């Protein structure tokens, strides 16, 4: 315990608190000196909290030590690109430069936020089981519902960053990411972001849903809204810098012979994802910043009384936030394509098409944002073009499905836990995909907009596109990271408990949505006749939570007590499995050269990588 | 970056590009007065940005092949990777400024804030001249002229600070006199947001340049190994490119609100 309290993480959090306090005192002091009111509903005014948040973020990064090497550079000292980590668990709380350590840091933080966000969902799901108010106030419901959305989004961003950080350098044969210090920085800046998101709860909460639309988000009584914006803004930098690093790594650090069309599919997916995250994230940052400034300084960007335009916010916001869903799912779909050939022992069908379909989804994804705004009062002539561009996304997504089906066709199918989750992902994502076009089509969307149908749809896509593949990846690469296997029986219980419960949950959501249940509301009219469905949904949600609990118990137990697995447990062709597990600190002992196609499973004599002789 | 051209011709190239940019800026101002044509102004801005990106920011370096014999750990290979990373960052950052430009035209349309034209032209010129000296400093470093490098970068820092004083110290106060006020209407909001975001980047650029100047004084950079100088230069010119678009958007296009 004492050792834990002296880790850089705890030091950073201490500095964060001190920075927050210093910022608050400074602004409050300046306001007092200027004769302006310094105190407010939450001790001090909004200005003080926001400035304190910025100072706290910087203080965390300085106190934690993740910027130490840069400070030394600026003083003219040369710092080595690799440094040895302390042994044991302490390294996971410090500014390690090893991409594998950072990948695990990301993944564990992602799982942690997944649990927090899931708990929020359970609380307000219980509230919704019966009509009328049960045990929450409407305010608290709104806060939990909004933070469930945003905490889950940050959790997904960290989860995919974890997978990509751990795997990409291994898959392309690099000894680390292109910019190891930036890599550590991108992870650690996400920690204060999570702190600000959670801090928004005691400061009045958030009432807008995860989208933060003005004018509701300009309500001056809710300082929590500002901390929410601040948290997302800071988390955005994690995403931007992480994806910058990833693109540079893939473009510059590939092993000899790994041409573009010999890269693993997961690498293609990571590139497509990172291209979106690198560029579009700036616009959610900008739009949230503009609302923050509107609240702080009265700049009238989204205030019609001052000549502003609330619809502009939605354009800026969705320009990121729609492509963002492709950020969430593309790595997951990459995992599906990556694992499927291993477990059916057949070449991946249509490798080039799959590779290009990831890029296709990413690029078309930039042109579809206004389909969230068919009912927002934007110019009507924009509706039809955005409808067609949205429907176009189904084409590259369909390519993936056909490839998966053709890959499974006549394969020698093996069904360990990761493969179960891969198949689950395909089924669930198919449901998400099929329920998409009705939302993209203007005529039907006018009815479906803002109903629980939409909630069901996007839970299907995000479970199919992220949660299931994420679990598949964790079960699959766990032996690589720890040298032990996760328990198969518990894994199968996890799968068979989660999948039916989830399908019940999402179909139930869509059903009540069609019957007239609005999303984001605290209460509903019993006359609408879906009271019983709500009870079923709540039970299903708790079953999912139970299955995730089983997963976490399995994870924690297997780290110490799992069956040893040091070799190529899945009989994979991929280079990381040709090395010992857990992966040595500087990855491959000798560099490898790519000499064949990545997914030629079952073809006699074919070879993907050739390691150099020592 | 090692160049094969001799120093004087490299410096002359910098001067020629500066003259082009100055003439184009004058032309831009003339167009705004004589025939306020948005497509023409946009064209001039694009040409200016192209010149800066090609001759001052050396965007062509991105396409240069790496020497195959050198490993991934060599300075040259790492510099190419760093260069690529920096340009990715600039791409990302340009979406912020792009978003601000879109917001400006969405909210104000063909109106513009009432601003002091002379001061606007003044700060624009200051930033342009600073870019010239930045290029000069980098060229000097690439030819091993430590003294020319230090003086060039110091002049750039001073001009950068002068730009900040001009925008934040003078223009913000003068605009207030013209009723461009932060919380009065959206015109004020857009003006302060755009200039503020740009000024923030200028400020970070000045700090960056100062660190590079100090390291340069310590003899940290050599003719062959001066990635820090190149990075500071590219970043500084990027801030200039942003202003190339912000200046007409705020000062030249449209009627006074």
């Amino acid at each position: 315990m004492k050792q834990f309290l002296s880790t850089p993480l705890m030091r950073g959090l201490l500095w964060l608190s001190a920075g927050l306090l210093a910022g608050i005192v400074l602004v409050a002091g300046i306001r007092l000196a200027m004769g302006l009111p310094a105190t407010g509903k939450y001790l001090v005014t909004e200005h003080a909290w926001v400035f304190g948040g910025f100072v706290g973020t910087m203080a965390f990064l300085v106190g934690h030590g993740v910027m130490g090497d840069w400070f030394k550079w600026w003083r003219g000292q040369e710092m080595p690109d690799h440094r040895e980590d302390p042994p044991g668990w302490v390294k996971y709380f410090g500014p390690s430069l090893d991409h594998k350590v950072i990948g695990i840091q990301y993944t564990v933080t992602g799982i942690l936020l997944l649990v927090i966000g899931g708990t929020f969902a359970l609380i307000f799901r219980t509230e919704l089981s019966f009509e009328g108010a049960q045990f929450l106030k409407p305010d608290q419901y709104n806060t939990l519902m909004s933070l469930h959305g945003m905490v889950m989004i940050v959790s997904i961003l960290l989860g995919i960053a974890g997978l990509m950080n751990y795997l990409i350098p291994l898959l392309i044969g690099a000894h680390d990411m292109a910019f190891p210090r930036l890599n550590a920085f991108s992870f650690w800046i996400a920690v204060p972001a999570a702190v600000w998101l959670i801090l928004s709860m005691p400061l009045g909460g958030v009432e807008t849903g995860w989208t933060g639309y003005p004018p509701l988000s300009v309500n001056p009584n809710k300082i929590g809204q500002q901390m929410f914006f601040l948290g997302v803004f800071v988390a955005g930098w994690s995403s931007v810098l992480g994806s910058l690093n990833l693109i540079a790594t893939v473009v510059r650090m590939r092993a000899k012979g790994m041409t573009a069309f010999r890269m693993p599919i997961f690498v293609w997916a990571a590139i497509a994802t990172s291209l979106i995250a690198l560029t579009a994230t700036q616009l959610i940052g900008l739009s949230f910043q503009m609302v923050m400034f509107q609240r702080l300084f009265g700049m009238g960007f989204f205030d019609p009384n001052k000549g502003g335009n609330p619809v502009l916010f939605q354009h800026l916001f969705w320009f990121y936030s729609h492509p963002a869903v492709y950020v969430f799912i593309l790595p997951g779909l990459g995992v599906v394509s990556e694992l499927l050939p291993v477990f059916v022992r057949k070449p991946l069908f249509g490798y080039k098409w799959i590779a290009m379909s990831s890029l296709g989804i990413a690029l078309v994804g930039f042109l579809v944002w206004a389909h969230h705004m068919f009912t927002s009062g934007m110019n009507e002539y924009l509706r039809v073009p955005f409808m067609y561009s949205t429907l176009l996304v189904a084409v590259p997504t369909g390519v993936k499905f056909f490839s998966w089906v053709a890959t499974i066709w006549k394969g020698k199918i093996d069904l360990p836990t990761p493969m179960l989750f891969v198949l689950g992902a395909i089924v669930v994502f198919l449901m998400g995909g099929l329920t998409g076009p009705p939302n993209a089509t203007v005529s039907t969307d006018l009815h479906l907009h803002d109903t629980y149908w939409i909630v069901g749809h996007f839970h299907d896509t995000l479970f199919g596109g992220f949660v299931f593949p994420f679990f598949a990846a964790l079960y699959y690469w766990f032996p690589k990271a720890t040298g032990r296997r996760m328990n198969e029986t518990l894994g199968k219980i996890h799968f068979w408990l989660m999948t039916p419960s989830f399908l019940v949950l999402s179909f139930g959501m869509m059903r009540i949505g069609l019957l007239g249940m609005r999303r984001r509301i605290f209460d509903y009219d019993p006359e609408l006749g879906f009271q019983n469905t709500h009870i079923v949904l709540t039970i299903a949600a708790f079953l999912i939570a139970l299955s995730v609990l089983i997963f976490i118990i399995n994870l924690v137990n297997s780290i110490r007590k799992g069956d040893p697995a040091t070799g190529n447990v899945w009989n994979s062709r991929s280079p990381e499995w040709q090395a010992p597990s857990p992966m040595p600190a500087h990855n491959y002992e000798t560099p490898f050269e790519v000499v064949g196609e990545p997914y030629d499973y079952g073809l006699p004599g074919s070879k993907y990588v050739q390691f150099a002789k020592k | 970056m090692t160049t094969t051209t001799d120093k004087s011709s490299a410096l002359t190239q910098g001067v020629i590009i500066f003259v082009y940019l100055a003439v184009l800026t004058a032309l831009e101002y003339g167009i705004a007065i004589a025939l306020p044509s948005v497509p023409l102004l946009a064209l001039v801005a694009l040409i200016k940005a192209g010149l800066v990106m090609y001759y001052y920011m050396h965007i062509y370096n991105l396409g240069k092949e790496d020497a195959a014999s050198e490993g991934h750990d060599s300075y040259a290979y790492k510099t190419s990777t760093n260069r690529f990373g920096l340009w990715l960052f600039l791409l990302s950052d340009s979406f912020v400024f792009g978003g601000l430009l879109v917001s400006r035209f969405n909210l104000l349309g063909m109106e513009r804030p009432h601003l002091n034209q002379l001061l606007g032209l003044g700060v624009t010129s200051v930033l342009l001249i600073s870019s010239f000296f930045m290029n000069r400093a980098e060229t000097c470093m690439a030819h091993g002229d430590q003294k020319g490098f230090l003086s060039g970068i110091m002049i750039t820092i001073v001009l950068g600070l002068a730009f900040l004083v001009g925008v934040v110290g003078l223009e913000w106060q003068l605009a207030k006199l013209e009723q461009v006020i932060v919380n009065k209407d959206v015109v004020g909001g857009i003006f302060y947001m755009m200039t503020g975001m740009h000024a923030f980047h200028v400020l970070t650029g000045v700090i960056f340049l100062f660190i590079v100047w100090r390291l340069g004084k310590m003899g940290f950079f050599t003719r062959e190994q001066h990635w820090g100088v190149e990075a500071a230069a590219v970043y500084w010119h990027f801030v200039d490119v942003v202003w190339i678009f912000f200046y007409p958007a705020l000062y030249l296009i449209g009627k006074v609100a």
Side-chain angles (χ1 to χ4, degrees), chain A residues 19 150 173 188-189 215 265 339 352 452 511 537 562 576:
Chain A
M150 202 40 108
W188 285 104
I189 198 173
I265 287 294
L339 302 197
K352 274 193 187 175
Y452 245 72
R511 176 172 183 274
L537 292 187
E576 82 272 21

Side-chain angles (χ1 to χ4, degrees), chain A residues 74-76 81 175 179 240 244 252 254 278-279 282-283 286 289 293 297-301 306-307 309, chain B residues 66 72-73 77-78 80-82 88 92 95-96 99-100 106-107 182-183 185-186 189 193 197 215 218 220:
Chain A
W74 298 343
R75 289 202 297 270
D81 262 2
H175 47 67
F179 310 115
V240 168
L244 186 161
R252 301 283 309 167
R254 291 196 310 274
L278 174 73
T279 53
Q282 296 286 5
L283 286 167
L286 179 68
Q289 212 178 338
F293 284 8
F297 308 122
M299 295 175 163
F301 302 118
K306 290 181 177 171
N309 179 7
Chain B
D66 294 297
H72 284 197
D73 286 325
Y77 196 86
K78 273 190 183 165
S80 300
T81 307
N82 289 342
L88 283 178
S92 174
F95 273 70
V96 178
L100 280 171
N106 179 289
L107 294 174
V182 174
N183 52 7
D185 55 27
V186 73
M193 184 86 191
M197 183 69 89
L215 289 175
M218 288 160 62
F220 189 77

Side-chain angles (χ1 to χ4, degrees), chain B residues 118-192:
Chain B
L118 212 58
L119 190 57
L121 198 58
V123 292
T124 307
S125 313
V126 167
L127 203 58
L128 202 60
I129 297 168
S130 82
S131 257
F132 167 74
F133 279 103
M134 185 69 243
N135 176 256
R136 202 176 166 80
E138 195 198 353
T139 312
C140 286
M141 192 73 242
H143 293 88
D145 177 358
Q146 176 84 359
K147 228 175 127 192
F149 159 71
L150 284 176
S151 62
I153 211 158
M154 196 27 101
I155 295 171
T156 314
I157 292 174
V158 171
L159 289 171
L161 289 173
F163 178 85
L164 282 177
V165 171
V167 171
V168 179
L170 291 175
E171 183 64 296
W172 282 17
Q173 308 308 321
L174 290 176
K176 218 186 275 177
L177 293 180
E178 301 287 356
Q179 295 294 310
V180 181
I181 295 167
V182 174
N183 52 7
K184 185 176 151 235
D185 55 27
V186 73
V187 181
I190 283 286
F191 170 71
Y192 287 98

Side-chain angles (χ1 to χ4, degrees), chain A residues 297-559:
Chain A
F297 308 122
M299 295 175 163
F301 302 118
F302 310 120
D303 180 357
N305 292 327
K306 290 181 177 171
N309 179 7
V311 177
L312 172 67
F313 174 86
Q314 300 180 21
H315 279 297
L316 295 176
F317 175 82
W318 287 115
F319 188 80
Y320 165 72
S321 296
H322 192 79
V325 304
Y326 303 126
V327 170
F328 306 154
I329 63 164
L330 284 174
L333 303 186
V335 167
V336 172
S337 300
E338 188 74 35
L339 302 197
L340 210 48
V342 180
F343 293 113
V344 300
R345 312 309 299 170
K346 261 185 69 194
L348 183 69
F349 187 85
Y351 168 90
K352 274 193 187 175
W353 286 87
I354 290 256
M356 295 325 283
S357 73
S358 292
L359 278 187
I361 293 176
L363 296 181
V364 179
F366 273 106
L367 308 172
V368 303
W369 76 89
H371 65 227
H372 292 269
M373 300 162 59
F374 288 153
T375 61
S376 290
M378 68 168 181
N379 293 326
E380 281 193 19
Y381 63 82
L382 289 174
R383 282 176 171 178
V384 173
F386 275 105
M387 171 175 119
Y388 281 112
S389 64
T390 306
L391 291 172
L392 200 59
V393 178
V395 176
T397 319
V399 167
K400 285 185 185 295
F401 273 102
F402 288 122
S403 148
W404 293 334
V405 172
T407 305
I408 298 172
W409 182 253
K410 289 188 174 174
K412 221 176 104 208
I413 303 172
D414 199 10
L415 284 175
T417 314
M419 179 60 171
L420 287 178
F421 275 95
V422 165
L423 294 177
I426 295 176
V427 171
V428 172
F429 192 69
L430 180 66
M431 295 303 138
L434 291 179
T435 49
N439 316 333
T441 312
V442 179
S443 48
T444 39
D445 182 64
L446 294 180
H447 297 277
L448 297 171
H449 190 84
D450 263 357
T451 64
Y452 245 72
W453 165 274
I454 304 285
V455 181
H457 160 70
F458 70 70
H459 277 87
D460 258 344
T461 53
L462 293 186
F463 264 74
F466 172 73
V467 176
F468 277 83
F470 182 60
F471 284 134
L474 289 179
Y475 282 106
Y476 182 80
W477 276 293
F478 185 84
K480 192 75 251 167
T482 61
R484 289 173 189 281
R485 277 178 90 137
M486 284 175 77
N487 185 309
E488 274 291 304
T489 318
L490 286 180
K492 283 187 173 144
I493 295 175
H494 172 200
F495 176 79
W496 287 113
L497 192 57
M498 184 166 110
T499 311
S501 318
F502 174 72
L503 287 174
V504 167
L505 180 75
S506 67
F507 289 145
M509 282 170 165
M510 290 184 218
R511 176 172 183 274
I512 59 173
L514 290 176
L515 291 174
M517 176 77 192
R518 310 291 297 165
R519 75 190 276 202
R520 294 193 184 123
I521 55 161
F522 171 64
D523 196 11
Y524 48 87
D525 186 352
E527 294 296 307
L528 288 166
F530 41 65
Q531 167 73 69
N532 293 338
T533 317
H534 266 300
I535 297 174
V536 173
L537 292 187
T538 309
I539 295 170
F542 273 93
L543 288 177
I544 296 173
L546 179 67
S547 74
V548 175
L549 186 69
I550 292 172
F551 162 75
I552 288 172
I553 292 170
N554 190 356
L555 189 78
V556 173
N557 273 341
S558 304
I559 290 174

